[in-house]
């Protein structure tokens, strides 16, 4: 009995010990060769300097057996001419886990991709040249890539932690910055693409020609994206722009024609939320502004877009019982009421209507009230009735 037990123990344990030993020894002894393959591959595909902490390079079969793990720290891509020495991308820590068995099939399985504190600095110079155009264009290299339509890659989980993206376009004087980006998702990449993602951006800054349009924007988005059949589907997307909460959902199909079914709503907002969208160069000291009132916003696009056809659309903006007091004005603007609806029911632009109803606002003894209706594209029909009583005295910075 003991002899049988020893034989069984030897038969089971010996391969297991050898397998564990191989999982530990192979990455150590072949680390130099793996590093050389990695460096050569990057050099063949990327026209930039790729740097990383060589001591941090880790290839392991033991941590998550039978999956292979690759880890690199302090990874950076530094541009060459005409952006010589500029850092394009830096990543504090990069980690990927891969199912080795799946490499032998047409269904590659990636268990996880993790990027900790990635920094992207995208630039366009005055001549219009972007710094991200760094992929080596080599037809002989591309010919070696499999084009099998049966190949499918599944990624169980990817995650970006505390990301930073900065875009600067000197040719058009645009600056956009995304700070504290956290993103995760799962997806399948094959004949089609199916993604489920969650994104949070704590701060966003955008300026054009020195005018700030978005500042300290909070964005939260949950996306379900299906690209199979050229259909892009958005699930529940909750987006906050400055102090304005938006909800977006719908789908778009990109075939010969573009088919759209998109809906936008603004919920849980006040009149001050709407004021927050005014660029800061025109409206400073937002926190000191006194504003209240009800505010609703909704819009939709539904139909087909071609060279000769447009989708039906509707845009509704409704403000009720609004009041606004700016620090530089001696009197508040009160009784702000209006309903603005821009609508097209059939996609024919000549049938677009603009209907402004119940417009009213008052500042001291000054008031404006009325309505406006306009319809048409190349030619307009206009019906309006506006009454105003204005007596404004401006002395220095005082408006009376």
């Amino acid at each position: 009995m003991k002899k049988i037990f020893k034989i069984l123990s030897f038969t089971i344990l010996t391969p297991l010990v050898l397998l564990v030993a191989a999982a530990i020894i192979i990455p150590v002894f072949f680390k130099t060769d793996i590093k050389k393959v990695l460096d050569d591959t990057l050099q063949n595909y990327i026209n930039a300097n790729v740097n990383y902490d060589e001591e941090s390079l880790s290839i392991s079969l033991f941590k998550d057996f039978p999956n292979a793990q690759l880890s690199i720290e302090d990874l950076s891509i530094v541009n060459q001419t005409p952006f010589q020495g500029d850092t394009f991308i830096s990543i504090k820590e990069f980690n990927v886990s891969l199912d080795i068995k799946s490499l032998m099939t047409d269904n590659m399985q990636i268990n996880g991709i993790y990027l900790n504190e990635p920094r992207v600095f995208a630039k366009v110079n005055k001549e219009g040249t972007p710094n991200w155009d760094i992929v080596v264009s080599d037809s002989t290299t591309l010919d070696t890539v499999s084009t099998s339509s049966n190949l499918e890659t599944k990624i169980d989980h990817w995650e970006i932690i505390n990301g930073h993206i900065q875009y600067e376009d000197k040719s058009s004087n645009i600056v956009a910055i995304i700070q504290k980006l956290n993103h995760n998702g799962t997806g399948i990449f094959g004949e089609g693409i199916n993604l489920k993602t969650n994104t949070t951006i704590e701060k966003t800054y955008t300026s054009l020609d020195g005018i700030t349009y978005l500042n300290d924007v909070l964005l939260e988005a949950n996306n379900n994206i299906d690209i199979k059949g050229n259909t892009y589907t958005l699930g529940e997307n909750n987006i906050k722009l400055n102090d304005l909460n938006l909800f977006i959902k719908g789908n778009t199909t990109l075939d010969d024609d573009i088919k759209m079914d998109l809906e936008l709503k603004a919920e849980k907002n006040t009149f001050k939320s709407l004021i927050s969208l005014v660029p800061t160069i025109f409206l400073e000291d937002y926190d000191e502004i006194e504003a209240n009132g009800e505010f609703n916003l909704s819009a939709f696009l539904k139909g087909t877009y071609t060279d000769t056809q447009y989708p039906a659309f509707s845009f509704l903006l409704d403000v009720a019982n609004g009041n606004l007091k700016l620090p530089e004005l001696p009197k508040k603007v009160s009784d702000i009421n209006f309903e603005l609806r821009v609508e097209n029911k059939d996609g024919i632009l000549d049938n677009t209507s603009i209907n402004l109803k119940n417009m009213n606002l008052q500042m001291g003894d000054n008031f404006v009230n009325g309505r406006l209706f306009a319809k048409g594209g190349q030619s307009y029909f206009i019906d309006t009735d506006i009454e105003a009583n204005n007596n404004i005295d401006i002395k220095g910075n005082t408006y009376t």
Side-chain angles (χ1 to χ4, degrees):
M1 189 68 178
K2 289 184 178 180
K3 185 176 182 181
I4 295 174
F5 179 76
K6 287 181 178 179
I7 294 173
L8 290 175
S9 300
F10 181 81
T11 303
I12 296 172
L13 291 177
T14 299
L16 182 60
V17 171
L18 291 175
L19 192 59
V20 172
I24 299 173
I25 295 172
I26 289 176
V28 174
F29 279 89
F30 290 92
K31 181 176 180 178
T32 302
D33 294 334
I34 295 174
K35 178 183 178 301
K36 185 178 185 305
V37 171
L38 178 63
D39 291 344
D40 291 344
T41 302
L42 291 172
Q43 185 176 2
N44 290 334
Y45 281 91
I46 299 178
N47 185 25
N49 299 321
V50 180
N51 307 306
Y52 56 90
D53 183 357
E54 296 183 6
E55 294 298 323
S56 72
L57 177 61
S58 171
I59 302 97
S60 174
L61 301 174
F62 185 69
K63 290 181 179 179
D64 191 24
F65 187 81
N67 302 311
Q69 283 195 3
L70 169 66
S71 299
I72 302 177
E73 295 180 4
D74 298 328
L75 175 65
S76 66
I77 299 176
V78 181
N79 284 118
Q80 298 178 359
T81 306
F83 299 92
Q84 185 72 36
D86 291 349
T87 298
F88 171 39
I89 295 176
S90 69
I91 303 173
K92 183 177 181 180
E93 183 180 2
F94 171 80
N95 182 283
V96 59
S97 175
L98 174 68
D99 185 344
I100 299 176
K101 300 189 301 297
S102 68
L103 295 175
M104 309 302 175
T105 70
D106 286 336
N107 299 309
M108 183 184 295
Q109 175 78 31
I110 299 176
N111 299 311
I113 300 175
Y114 301 89
L115 288 81
N116 185 20
E117 295 189 13
R119 302 288 186 265
V120 179
F121 301 93
K123 299 179 180 180
V124 178
N125 61 20
K126 292 182 178 180
E127 291 73 31
T129 303
N131 72 334
W132 58 84
D133 187 13
I134 60 174
V135 177
V136 175
S137 185
D138 186 347
S139 59
T140 59
T141 301
L142 295 176
D143 287 342
T144 63
V145 179
S146 172
T147 58
S148 172
S149 61
N150 295 324
L151 182 62
E152 183 177 273
T153 300
K154 181 180 180 182
I155 305 178
D156 279 348
H157 183 80
W158 65 74
E159 187 168 2
I160 297 173
I161 302 171
N162 195 22
H164 178 98
I165 300 175
Q166 184 167 321
Y167 173 77
E168 182 180 5
D169 188 340
K170 292 186 177 180
S171 66
S172 55
N173 202 17
I174 297 174
V175 175
I177 301 173
I178 292 175
Q179 296 178 320
K180 295 185 178 181
L181 164 68
N182 291 283
H183 170 87
N184 64 77
T186 181
I188 299 175
F189 302 80
E191 187 175 348
I193 298 176
N194 184 273
L195 308 175
K196 292 183 179 180
T197 66
N198 301 283
T199 305
T200 301
I201 299 173
E202 291 191 17
K203 290 186 177 182
T204 301
Y205 169 88
T206 304
S207 70
L208 172 62
D209 292 329
I211 299 175
T212 301
Y213 288 91
L214 297 176
N215 193 23
D216 288 341
V217 172
L218 171 67
L219 182 147
E220 298 177 357
N222 303 309
N223 295 330
N224 294 314
I225 302 174
D226 182 11
I227 307 180
K228 189 174 182 179
N230 297 325
T231 298
Y232 297 74
T233 301
L234 296 176
E236 295 182 356
N237 290 265
N238 300 301
I239 300 175
K240 185 174 183 180
L241 297 176
N242 286 349
D243 198 30
L244 179 66
N245 293 293
L246 297 173
F247 172 82
I248 301 174
K249 69 176 182 178
N251 61 78
T252 301
T253 301
L254 302 179
D255 291 321
D256 294 335
D257 301 331
I258 301 175
K259 298 178 181 178
M260 292 179 281
D261 187 358
L262 299 170
E263 180 184 1
L264 179 146
K265 290 183 179 180
E267 300 175 338
K268 299 179 180 179
N269 290 287
T270 64
F271 180 55
K272 190 173 182 179
S273 303
L274 178 63
I275 300 298
S276 73
L277 294 183
V278 178
T280 55
I281 191 172
F282 301 119
L283 192 63
E284 298 179 353
D285 302 321
Y286 173 74
D287 291 336
E288 298 182 14
I289 294 174
E290 298 177 15
N292 54 59
E294 300 176 6
F295 158 66
N296 291 297
L297 170 66
S298 63
F300 74 81
L301 280 169
K302 188 171 185 178
T304 302
Y305 174 77
T306 67
D307 293 337
T308 58
Q309 182 180 356
Y310 294 87
F313 59 85
S314 175
F315 174 86
L316 174 63
L317 177 61
D318 184 9
V319 174
N321 303 317
N323 294 283
L324 176 64
K325 177 66 171 68
L326 303 179
E328 62 270 20
L329 294 181
K331 297 180 180 179
K332 71 177 181 178
V333 182
S334 61
D335 296 328
I336 303 173
N337 296 276
F338 66 85
E339 178 185 312
L340 174 63
R341 183 185 295 272
V342 181
E343 192 172 40
N344 186 294
K345 297 181 179 181
D346 55 15
I348 300 174
L349 292 185
D350 283 344
N351 293 333
T352 301
S353 64
I354 301 172
N355 194 359
L356 176 62
K357 299 191 300 182
N358 305 322
M359 181 182 66
N360 180 78
L361 65 86
Q362 189 161 344
M363 180 177 175
D365 295 329
N366 304 296
F367 68 86
V368 177
N369 58 58
R371 60 175 179 81
L372 181 147
F373 178 82
K375 185 175 182 180
Q378 296 180 352
S379 61
Y380 280 95
F381 167 80
I382 299 177
D383 179 18
T384 182
D385 181 11
I386 296 177
E387 181 183 5
N389 178 26
N390 296 318
N391 183 15
I392 302 176
D393 184 17
I394 303 177
K395 295 180 180 179
N397 294 325
T398 301
Y399 300 75
T400 305

